Amino acid sequence: MNILFATPECTPYVKTGGLGDVSAALPATLAALGHDVRVLMPAYRGVRVSGEIGDGVELPAWGPWPAAQLVPVKVDSGVTLLLLACPALYQRHGGPYVDASGNDYHDNDMRFGLLSRVAAQLGTAHSPLHGWAADVVHANDWPCGLAPVYLAQARALAPHEPTAVSVMTVHNLAFRGLFPMGSADLLGIPLHWRGLDGVEFWGQLSMLKAGLQFADAITTVSPTYAREIQTEAQGVGLDGLLRARSGRLHGIMNGIDTQAWDPAHDPLLPHRFSRDNLQGKRLCKAALQARCGLPTDPKAMLFAAVSRLTEQKGIDLVLGALPGLLAQGAQLVVLGQGDPTLAQGLRDAAERHPLQVAVTLGFDEGLAHLIEAGADAFLMPSRFEPCGLNQMYSQAYGTPPVVAPAGGLLDSVIDSDADPDHGTGFIMAACDAEGLQEALLRAVRAWNERKRWRRIQANGMARAFGWNESAQRYIEVYRAAIDAASVNGTLPP
Ligand code: ADP
C-alpha cells in the first residue's frame, strides 16, 4: 500500500510533543511491515536531515500559494521523508506553529493550507511525484485537516480518476485550528462546504472539524479518548459530529519507539540498565540529582515530570501537592516549557526549596531521557490525555507513573493497589488535588516496601509498548476505508 503520512512535526527534525514521536515511529513500523510510506512535512528553518537527498520536484505557484519544492530524503527507517520547501511560508524564526514570542503565525491558514493541499495532491492521479501516488492520505491534527477536504473535492471533480482515501487522526482535540471564515476564499473551500455540515465551527473555519467531517475514517490515539471525545464534557463542541461519525471513529493506542526508549541501549544515558539489573538506574538517579543540583541522596524519593507546561497537564496540581511531598523528604525534578505563570510557580518553588526541587525550563531531549531513567516515580496528573507517551516511557524505564484517570493513561497504566500482581503505577481516583495527594501517598508507601516497589517496576518494564500491534490496526483502518470507498464510489462528505 502507498501511504502518505502528512504531519506538521516529526522527530528528530522538529518536535513539540507526542505527535513528533508518532510521526517518526508509526511510519517506520508501517514501512517495516512492507508498505511504501512517505512522510510529508514542511521544511522549517533549521531542519537538518541526514540521508540520501533526491532531486527536488517543482510545485508551480497555485491559487494563493507561491511556488514550492518537494525534496525527497531517504532516511534510515526505510521511510521517504518529503520535505515541503516553501521558504516564504516555512523559513521562520520560532516553532512550527508560533513565532519566537509564542504567538500564532498570522498566516497559519496559508502555511498549513499548503501542507494539506500538497498532501491531497499526492493522493490523486496528478501527484507531483511521477509514478507514485498515495492509496491512503493519513492526515494528522488540524494542520493537515484540510487534506480530506481537498481529496473529497478532487474526487467530486474527477469521480472516475483514482483518488486516495483519507484518514484523519486526532492527537489532541483541544487544538481545533480556528481561522476567520474569510480564509475559506483563500483556501479554495467550495461555498457549499462552508456551512455547519462542512468546515464551519461557530462562524469560524475549523481545520480540525474540516478533517473530521470529510475524512473517510477518523482515528484517535487511545480507546478511552475515542469514547471521551464523544461526550459533551470533553468533546470541545465537536462531540456531536464525532458521535454522528462514530462508525468511522477508531481509538488506536500509540506505541513508543522501543529503540529510542530502551534503558538497556539508550545512548543518552550515562548508565544503562534492564529489568534484571537495576544498578545502572541507581547510578542514573545520582547523575540526575547531581545534574539538577540536588543532594545525591539515594534515600530521598525522587518524583519527576517532563511536560508541556499547560493547564491540560495538571502542573498546578503538582505545585499544590508539593508541601506534602516535601514533608515526606521527597525530591521533585521538572523539565518543561510553556505557560509563563506555571513556569514562574515552578521557579519560585525551586528557589524556596533548593535542596528538594529542581526545575529546568526549556526543551531538552537528553535530560528527558535522564529523568525517565533517574527518577523513582513519574507524575502525569493530566486533566485530559489523548494518549500520553511519558507514562509508557517511564514504565519502560522502571519509573512507575502516578497518573490521572483519563484517556490513554487509563489504557496504559495498571493501578498497583487495585491489581497488586500486575500493577505498574498509581491511578488517581479523580483528577484534583485530593486525588493526586492520595495517589502520591500510595506511591510513597509502596516505595518504602522495597520488594513491592521492585515488582511494580518489573511489571512496567515487562510491558510491550511497541508499535507493531497498533500499526496493524492502522492498516486495517486503511483497508476498510479503501474497501468502503470502492463499494460506495464517490463518498459524500
Ligand atoms: P503531548 O504530546 O501532549 O505534549 P505526550 O506525553 O504525548 O504529550 O508527549 C510528549 C513528548 O514530548 C514526550 O516524548 C516528552 O518526553 C516530550 N517532551 C515534552 N516536554 C519536553 C521538554 N521540555 N523537553 C524534552 N522533551 C519533552
Side-chain angles (χ1 to χ4, degrees):
M1 203 181 306
N2 288 354
I3 300 162
L4 192 273
F5 191 92
T7 182
E9 55 181 274
C10 181
T11 308
Y13 316 109
V14 54
K15 161 174 164 179
T16 69
L19 172 56
D21 290 352
V22 173
S23 299
L26 173 57
T29 312
L30 293 168
L33 291 171
H35 300 283
D36 185 342
V37 191
R38 318 227 167 164
V39 175
L40 176 70
M41 186 187 84
Y44 303 109
R45 187 170 179 276
V47 166
R48 298 269 169 276
V49 291
S50 61
E52 189 191 316
I53 301 183
D55 293 336
V57 178
E58 298 299 326
L59 306 175
W62 190 91
W65 292 291
Q69 246 202 353
L70 261 188
V71 183
V73 185
K74 271 228 168 298
V75 291
D76 289 347
S77 59
V79 165
T80 299
L81 180 66
L82 294 172
L83 285 173
L84 176 57
C86 184
L89 294 181
Y90 304 128
Q91 289 285 319
R92 305 263 171 99
H93 292 274
Y97 319 105
V98 297
D99 63 21
S101 334
N103 299 312
D104 289 346
Y105 294 114
H106 70 280
D107 55 353
N108 271 347
D109 50 353
M110 287 276 287
R111 298 173 74 243
F112 295 112
L114 181 64
L115 177 65
S116 298
R117 170 85 222 160
V118 174
Q121 215 184 342
L122 285 161
T124 68
H126 311 281
S127 164
L129 293 182
H130 302 292
W132 193 92
D135 301 309
V136 178
V137 171
H138 187 158
N140 291 280
D141 272 353
W142 71 265
C144 304
L146 291 183
V149 181
Y150 293 136
L151 275 169
Q153 200 177 11
R155 217 182 264 163
L157 289 172
H160 302 298
E161 288 183 4
T163 306
V165 295
S166 56
V167 175
M168 180 79 222
T169 295
V170 180
H171 297 265
N172 192 334
L173 195 74
F175 300 112
R176 288 169 296 198
L178 295 174
F179 297 91
M181 192 47 93
S183 297
D185 283 332
L186 195 71
L187 297 165
I189 312 284
L191 272 177
H192 58 282
W193 286 353
R194 294 186 196 178
L196 197 59
D197 291 341
V199 303
E200 191 229 353
F201 184 82
W202 296 98
Q204 290 184 288
L205 185 167
S206 161
M207 288 198 185
L208 181 62
K209 180 180 172 187
L212 298 177
Q213 190 79 261
F214 286 85
D216 297 310
I218 302 168
T219 73
T220 188
V221 290
S222 70
T224 297
Y225 194 58
R227 286 191 295 277
E228 289 171 346
I229 57 178
Q230 294 181 58
T231 64
E232 206 179 320
Q234 296 190 60
V236 296
L238 294 167
D239 47 294
L241 169 58
L242 289 163
R243 282 195 300 276
R245 304 212 69 201
S246 61
R248 290 171 183 267
L249 168 61
H250 311 268
I252 305 178
M253 194 70 191
N254 280 340
I256 63 173
D257 181 336
T258 47
Q259 281 187 351
W261 290 93
D262 172 4
H265 299 102
D266 188 338
L268 297 172
L269 297 184
H271 308 278
R272 317 225 197 312
F273 55 92
S274 64
R275 187 165 173 246
D276 302 324
N277 185 351
L278 288 176
Q279 175 59 12
K281 183 166 175 69
R282 286 185 276 276
L283 297 172
C284 283
K285 175 171 176 178
L288 175 61
Q289 288 168 319
R291 171 151 175 197
C292 295
L294 297 174
T296 51
D297 178 0
K299 294 205 184 67
M301 185 170 182
L302 177 51
F303 288 89
V306 178
S307 179
R308 287 185 292 117
L309 303 180
T310 63
E311 151 118 11
Q312 176 198 341
K313 300 290 182 177
I315 300 299
D316 53 317
L317 296 177
V318 174
L319 282 170
L322 197 56
L325 279 187
L326 297 178
Q328 301 277 344
Q331 296 175 337
L332 173 70
V333 167
V334 180
L335 166 64
Q337 60 181 6
D339 183 280
T341 313
L342 289 170
Q344 191 55 47
L346 289 166
R347 217 174 316 170
D348 290 347
E351 262 166 38
R352 272 200 306 275
H353 309 283
L355 298 180
Q356 285 180 279
V357 181
V359 173
T360 303
L361 298 175
F363 197 94
D364 187 333
E365 190 79 24
L367 182 56
H369 283 245
L370 181 60
I371 288 175
E372 290 289 6
D376 291 307
F378 197 87
L379 300 178
M380 246 175 128
S382 310
R383 292 197 162 81
F384 67 94
E385 193 57 77
C387 178
L389 295 172
N390 278 307
Q391 82 283 6
M392 293 191 270
Y393 299 152
S394 66
Q395 287 171 77
Y397 279 58
T399 308
V402 177
V403 303
L409 300 172
L410 276 177
D411 294 332
S412 58
V413 178
I414 303 170
D415 187 273
S416 63
D417 283 300
D419 186 345
D421 289 339
H422 306 100
T424 62
F426 304 87
I427 302 179
M428 296 152 60
C431 189
D432 53 22
E434 209 175 298
L436 180 57
Q437 198 96 31
E438 183 264 349
L440 287 174
L441 276 180
R442 291 196 289 125
V444 171
R445 207 176 304 136
W447 193 69
N448 285 320
E449 293 172 41
R450 283 302 148 138
K451 256 178 112 170
R452 186 167 163 224
W453 190 259
R454 188 66 197 83
R455 169 143 207 183
I456 300 170
Q457 286 180 302
N459 286 344
M461 295 177 89
R463 296 195 67 184
F465 287 121
W467 266 102
N468 265 330
E469 207 178 302
S470 296
Q472 304 272 13
R473 298 252 356 252
Y474 277 101
I475 296 292
E476 287 164 20
V477 169
Y478 299 159
R479 289 231 159 89
I482 291 171
D483 289 349
S486 58
V487 170
N488 297 342
T490 306
L491 290 164

